């Protein structure tokens, strides 16, 4: 089967959105090899510190490798600095990790979402060689990105409370992946507030 | 569909698909998913891939949407003319299948179409004819086609039996298509069925949220307290 890019080999979608003193990050849970679905419990979003999540949509092998590299550096930072890495720094670190492989890159386009030490929301995304996108409203990445941009631009409004943010993020993600053959088969949504993290699994269509 | 979709340009609309047709005691059941994809984009979530070509004969379409719609159009034209000549006798399923085969075989160089013709006529009852890519014509008790068919070949081989009732056959077709949808990224949406027998033809649909699911035990787990939303 022909595919346009190695980033479309496994498929997947990740979305992060800012609310009132909270952030949400969500991912679909399909793992496929081109058009064959292999498993339906493969979330691309991982908790890497108390209040920070990172998503790695793209080639599944690099999803796992980047996660391991990042976790190593996070732990080393904690030992060196005796404090947790803030989301803005996590984002910066990912940019350098990716650009180090400028001419033989990792095929992931990461999304970072978290609360800094003052519980102020932070989100960012980047391309596979580390070019950052810092946004105040939402960021997203993956094979359903065009559809997700349309949904987010339509449904987003600032200062959503955590329960409403969960609903908006869920609808944006689910409607988008229903139009993508390579994403879907369920979703996981994490909402991060000063009080803690609420994670929910969604049963999608297909 | 898998072998030749590498040959079609990006942007051509494909019915990467699961289609099947199955005889039972007294008629046939045709079944299909409803996803039309253009590359990875799902162009139509609720497509109808089971097309009537003449009274009591239907065509399941897989491959290029444009090619198969054209074939269905021409087959419909020729079979209408044929029906006028035959009068009350009615067009046989074999004639309909042969017309479809002629179009597919004659134009085989340009075509990307895997089709199944199935229906009911007074002389022979329910019949299924497979017309895979290349333009072969084969009468078979049941047939599967499209990119999703590879996942259910063994299932249908094992589970089809002669002399099923209408409801058993419909359930069998729905189960097979749902299994293929479960594994094939190019198949999805709703499950459409058409049942053709002496009494007439009946089009039905299983909505997307009611399609059987086989992977729910394999949804990600978040610990015992995390809720699952449907």
């Amino acid at each position: 089967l022909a595919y346009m890019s190695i980033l479309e080999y496994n498929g997947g979608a990740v979305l992060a959105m800012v609310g009132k003193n909270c952030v949400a990050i969500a991912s679909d849970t399909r793992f496929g090899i081109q058009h064959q679905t292999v498993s339906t419990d493969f979330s691309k979003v991982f908790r890497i510190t108390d209040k920070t999540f990172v998503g790695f949509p793209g080639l599944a092998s690099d999803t796992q490798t980047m996660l391991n590299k990042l976790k190593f550096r996070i732990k080393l930072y904690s030992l060196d600095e005796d404090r947790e890495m803030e989301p803005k720094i996590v984002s910066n670190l990912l940019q350098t990790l990716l650009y180090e492989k400028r001419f033989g890159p990792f095929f992931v386009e990461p999304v970072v979402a978290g609360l800094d030490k003052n519980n102020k929301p932070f989100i960012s995304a980047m391309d596979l060689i580390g070019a950052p996108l810092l946004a105040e409203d939402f960021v997203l990445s993956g094979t359903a990105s065009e559809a997700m941009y349309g949904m987010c631009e339509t449904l987003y409004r600032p200062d959503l409370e955590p329960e409403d943010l969960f609903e908006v993020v869920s609808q944006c993600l689910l409607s988008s992946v229903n139009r993508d053959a390579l994403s879907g088969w369920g979703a996981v949504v994490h909402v991060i507030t000063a009080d803690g993290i609420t994670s929910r699994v969604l049963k999608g269509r297909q | 569909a898998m072998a030749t979709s590498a040959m079609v340009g990006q942007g051509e609309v494909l019915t990467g698909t699961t289609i099947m047709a199955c005889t039972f005691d007294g008629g046939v059941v045709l079944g299909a998913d409803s996803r039309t994809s253009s590359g990875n984009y799902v162009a139509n979530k609720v497509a109808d891939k089971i097309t009537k070509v003449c009274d009591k004969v239907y065509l399941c379409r897989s491959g290029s949407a444009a090619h198969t719609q054209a074939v269905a159009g021409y087959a419909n034209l020729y079979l209408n003319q044929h029906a006028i000549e035959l009068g009350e006798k009615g067009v046989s399923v074999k004639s309909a299948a042969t017309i479809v085969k002629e179009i597919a075989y004659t134009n085989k160089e340009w075509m990307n179409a895997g089709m199944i013709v199935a229906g009911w006529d007074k002389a022979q009852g329910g019949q299924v004819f497979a017309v895979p890519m290349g333009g072969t014509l084969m009468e078979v008790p049941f047939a599967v086609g499209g990119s999703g068919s590879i996942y259910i070949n063994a299932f249908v081989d094992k589970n089809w039996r002669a002399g099923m009732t209408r409801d058993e056959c419909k359930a069998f077709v729905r189960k097979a298509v749902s299994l293929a949808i479960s594994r094939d990224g190019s198949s999805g949406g709703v499950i459409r069925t058409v049942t053709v027998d002496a009494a007439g033809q009946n089009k039905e649909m299983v909505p997307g949220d009611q399609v059987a699911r086989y992977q729910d035990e394999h949804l990600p787990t978040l610990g015992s307290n995390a809720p699952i939303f449907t």
Side-chain angles (χ1 to χ4, degrees), chain A:
Chain A
L1 196 84
Y3 48 83
M4 290 257 277
S5 136
I6 189 73
L7 286 166
E8 291 171 21
Y9 186 70
N10 296 124
V14 171
L15 163 61
M17 198 176 273
V18 169
K20 195 172 173 72
N21 303 318
C22 59
V23 279
I25 185 165
S27 138
D28 75 314
T29 53
R30 177 182 181 268
F31 168 58
I33 298 176
Q34 291 188 147
H35 279 202
Q36 175 170 16
T37 302
V38 177
S39 95
T40 55
D41 63 357
F42 187 67
S43 166
K44 292 104 191 146
V45 166
F46 309 93
R47 185 181 187 182
I48 48 151
T49 72
D50 256 3
K51 294 251 177 66
T52 308
F53 279 71
V54 184
F56 292 113
L59 189 65
S61 172
D62 288 346
T63 300
Q64 295 178 325
T65 302
M66 279 307 295
L67 175 65
N68 286 338
K69 281 169 71 85
L70 184 62
K71 276 164 76 168
F72 170 72
R73 295 295 299 266
I74 299 274
K75 289 176 185 177
L76 198 55
Y77 184 94
S78 302
L79 289 170
D80 281 341
E81 308 245 338
D82 196 23
R83 63 189 174 111
E84 270 209 341
M85 210 189 272
E86 301 228 20
K88 189 174 65 168
I89 312 301
V90 172
S91 179
N92 206 289
L93 173 61
L94 275 174
Q95 290 165 41
T96 48
L97 285 174
L98 292 171
Y99 198 81
E100 272 174 359
K101 301 290 181 189
R102 171 63 177 80
F103 299 109
F106 287 110
F107 295 102
V108 288
E109 298 196 311
V111 171
V112 179
L115 300 176
D116 70 12
K117 63 178 189 283
N118 301 317
N119 290 321
K120 183 161 170 294
F122 174 88
I123 53 170
S124 81
M126 61 208 80
D127 70 3
L128 76 173
I129 48 173
L133 170 67
L134 299 163
E136 308 271 317
D137 42 14
F138 54 84
V139 289
L140 52 95
S141 189
T143 48
S145 54
E146 278 112 335
M148 285 196 283
Y149 275 122
M151 287 303 303
C152 290
E153 288 286 0
T154 307
L155 297 185
Y156 174 78
R157 50 186 203 280
D159 294 322
L160 286 162
E161 295 292 335
E163 291 304 311
D164 297 330
L165 184 63
F166 163 71
E167 290 294 337
V168 169
V169 165
S170 301
Q171 287 301 335
C172 286
L173 187 66
L174 251 30
S175 300
S176 305
V177 302
N178 280 347
R179 282 286 180 176
D180 180 18
L182 303 181
S183 306
W185 275 114
V188 180
V189 184
H190 306 278
V191 181
I192 310 156
T193 66
D195 301 325
I197 306 190
T198 311
S199 303
R200 298 172 177 95
V201 173
L202 308 179
K203 276 205 302 205
R205 287 181 157 230
Q206 217 143 320

